Amino acid sequence: QVQLVESGGGLVQAGGSLRLSCAASGNIFSSYTMGWYRPAPGKQRELVASITNGGNTNYADSVKGRFTISRDNAKKTVYLQMNSLKPEDTAVYYCNAAWGPFVSWGQGTQVTVSS
């Protein structure tokens, strides 16, 4: 399994931008579907965005048009570019790696958006 370390969180004003990074260990990073999650009411975590090993992306409706997920397989890193941030985007963001039965989570990075 991969180990994941997130970075890039912080405090930003509404309308601002942040870029989260998730660095992975392991030799088969390129095979994993990578995702970003955050807690949601009634759910343990909700999917914010994901990207497959083939580069296909998926976004939550609430972030479409504002967030962009990307990956650099050479650097074993996945990114989440967050623009036009809103106070309701405030959360701990968790990086996820999934490949078949193997699932790994990072420790999370806090994003706080002030109004």
Side-chain angles (χ1 to χ4, degrees):
Q1 288 188 336
V2 296
Q3 293 192 343
L4 305 172
V5 178
E6 302 101 331
S7 61
L11 174 64
V12 64
Q13 288 188 331
S17 298
L18 283 174
R19 188 176 82 155
L20 306 183
S21 299
C22 173
S25 64
N27 295 323
I28 54 173
F29 172 81
S30 61
S31 297
Y32 281 77
T33 291
M34 302 299 297
W36 289 95
Y37 288 74
R38 65 189 183 189
K43 303 178 183 178
Q44 188 171 11
R45 291 171 186 171
E46 69 173 357
L47 175 69
V48 175
S50 65
I51 183 167
T52 69
N53 56 358
N56 294 318
T57 58
N58 186 38
Y59 296 93
D61 287 343
S62 59
V63 307
K64 283 180 181 176
R66 300 189 297 123
F67 291 9
T68 302
I69 189 170
S70 61
R71 66 191 297 162
D72 185 332
N73 289 335
K75 295 182 177 179
K76 299 181 184 178
T77 301
V78 63
Y79 305 97
L80 185 68
Q81 178 67 44
M82 305 187 294
N83 298 329
S84 302
L85 281 161
K86 304 175 180 180
E88 51 263 43
D89 294 317
T90 294
V92 177
Y93 285 72
Y94 296 91
C95 181
N96 169 276
W99 181 50
F102 304 109
V103 179
S104 295
W105 291 93
Q107 293 298 306
T109 186
Q110 176 71 47
V111 172
T112 303
V113 185
S114 63
S115 58

